[in-house]
Amino acid sequence: MSAKTANNTQDVQVKKPVARKDMTKMQWTLKEMRRNWFAYIMLAPYYLIFLTFTIIPVVVSLVLSFTSFNMLEPPTFIFMQNYIRLFLDDDIFILACQNTLIFAAITGPVSYLLSFLVAWFINELSPKIRAVVTLIFYAPNIAGSVYMIWSVAFSSDSYGYVNGLLLYLDLIDTPIAFFQDADYVMPLCIVVALWTSLGTAFLSFIAGLQVVDRSLYEAAAVDGVKNRWQELWYVTLPYMKPQLMFGAILAITGSFGFGGIVDALAGNPSVDYCAWTITHHLNDYGGARYEIGYASAIATVLFIIMIGANAAVKKILSKVGQ
């Protein structure tokens, strides 16, 4: 072998790519970022907007939760005083946490399962009928304050449809003030929330069911899948994990932020604070009292609860198909 050939061989050996196993995770990440630099440039506008309007406000809120701040004077650092006051001295906040968790525990899973089951049912229909039925189920979600018809149906006088029917059947002697009675407010708000729960997650489930590869069902039948429930568990749901996760995030967000329905139906505050939620408490201190530090502590607690719920859902969805 000539000297020139030996040098060329040595150069080839020096330029041999480094294997993934020979690099740390950080080194591999930086290498991939350098290799795909143009993609990061294209994504930069979104990253900047997300950083400016999401990440920075969250961090600022977290910092302000350790201060006393009223929007007029500079923030004063008080360390954990806001959180001590929140959990030890604020009875209304504890009631708000209880109401929020009850509402979220009912409406979150039920609306999620209801959205998927209805989408699964609609997916079996012919395209024209599917479009009509989808519009019927989705209409309450896009009609704005359509849930206000419930305030008419459950009106506190005899002209309300429910009171009128109960009086006609001699089941009651005097009209019931449904939205002024603590025994009825929360159940009715939960029902209305479920009625309007077929929203974007519902549409994403329909879209996910439409793109499932039909050949997978044939392969599953060869592997021993015998009925539709097994097809759902071993084929459909694993293929739809992105849509399932997206729907779960929307269900969590909706179940923890249902204050608008309560305000519209039962007023603000509701009778005896029976439907007072964490979002109500946050808006009260942040938007009415301008105790921004205290409101930031409330927002931080709500953020931690939602992150925990999101992590739990992600772990549950990871078991799908196993």
Side-chain angles (χ1 to χ4, degrees):
M1 181 183 296
S2 64
K4 184 176 180 181
T5 304
N7 291 336
N8 291 338
T9 304
Q10 185 178 5
D11 292 341
V12 171
Q13 292 176 349
V14 171
K15 295 179 180 179
K16 182 180 179 181
V18 179
R20 171 69 177 88
K21 62 181 180 180
D22 298 329
M23 304 174 66
T24 65
K25 185 175 181 180
M26 179 60 69
Q27 291 174 335
W28 176 260
T29 301
L30 293 175
K31 178 177 177 295
E32 290 297 303
M33 291 177 66
R34 285 193 296 268
R35 187 169 67 87
N36 301 294
W37 63 271
F38 189 74
Y40 286 95
I41 292 177
M42 300 296 292
L43 290 172
Y46 168 78
Y47 282 143
L48 290 174
I49 293 174
F50 183 75
L51 177 68
T52 304
F53 296 102
T54 302
I55 301 298
I56 293 178
V58 169
V59 174
V60 171
S61 177
L62 178 61
V63 173
L64 289 178
S65 69
F66 297 100
T67 68
S68 175
F69 183 39
N70 59 8
M71 296 284 288
L72 298 176
E73 301 173 341
T76 303
F77 185 73
I78 58 174
F79 195 48
M80 297 295 293
Q81 291 300 314
N82 284 330
Y83 293 98
I84 294 174
R85 173 186 170 192
L86 200 61
F87 289 103
L88 299 182
D89 296 333
D90 194 341
D91 295 335
I92 301 299
F93 174 74
I94 302 301
L95 178 61
C97 288
Q98 177 183 334
N99 292 335
T100 302
L101 293 177
I102 291 174
F103 192 92
I106 297 175
T107 60
V110 173
S111 65
Y112 185 75
L113 293 175
L114 184 64
S115 296
F116 180 80
L117 291 176
V118 172
W120 192 31
F121 164 74
I122 291 176
N123 186 61
E124 302 299 319
L125 303 176
S126 61
K128 292 183 179 179
I129 298 178
R130 184 192 307 141
V132 175
V133 176
T134 300
L135 177 62
I136 293 174
F137 279 100
Y138 188 61
N141 191 265
I142 62 176
S145 300
V146 66
Y147 50 76
M148 290 300 294
I149 65 174
W150 289 76
S151 64
V152 177
F154 288 90
S155 178
S156 59
D157 52 35
S158 60
Y159 295 101
Y161 297 133
V162 175
N163 274 323
L165 179 62
L166 294 176
L167 289 169
Y168 177 78
L169 296 176
D170 291 329
L171 296 177
I172 58 175
D173 298 325
T174 56
I176 301 174
F178 290 99
F179 290 112
Q180 286 77 45
D181 191 326
D183 294 332
Y184 293 100
V185 172
M186 178 64 84
L188 287 175
C189 289
I190 289 175
V191 171
V192 175
L194 292 174
W195 182 64
T196 59
S197 64
L198 298 182
T200 308
F202 165 67
L203 296 182
S204 71
F205 290 154
I206 293 179
L209 289 167
Q210 289 292 305
V211 299
V212 176
D213 189 353
R214 298 298 167 183
S215 63
L216 294 176
Y217 295 115
E218 299 176 4
V222 174
D223 290 337
V225 172
K226 299 179 181 179
N227 53 55
R228 296 298 302 276
W229 292 107
Q230 289 182 342
E231 284 183 354
L232 176 66
W233 182 254
Y234 292 110
V235 180
T236 306
L237 293 181
Y239 200 88
M240 288 181 57
K241 278 189 177 181
Q243 290 85 2
L244 294 176
M245 191 63 209
F246 176 70
I249 293 173
L250 293 179
I252 292 171
T253 304
S255 63
F256 282 100
F258 69 103
I261 294 176
V262 177
D263 293 344
L265 298 178
N268 186 3
S270 55
V271 57
D272 295 335
Y273 292 94
C274 62
W276 190 258
T277 66
I278 297 178
T279 55
H280 285 122
H281 213 54
L282 173 60
N283 293 333
D284 182 30
Y285 278 92
R289 308 188 190 197
Y290 293 102
E291 295 187 29
I292 306 302
Y294 193 66
S296 297
I298 299 172
T300 301
V301 173
L302 180 60
F303 178 73
I304 293 173
I305 294 174
M306 294 182 69
I307 290 296
N310 185 40
V313 169
K314 183 181 292 187
K315 186 172 183 180
I316 293 173
L317 290 180
S318 67
K319 304 295 184 182
V320 171
Q322 297 182 6

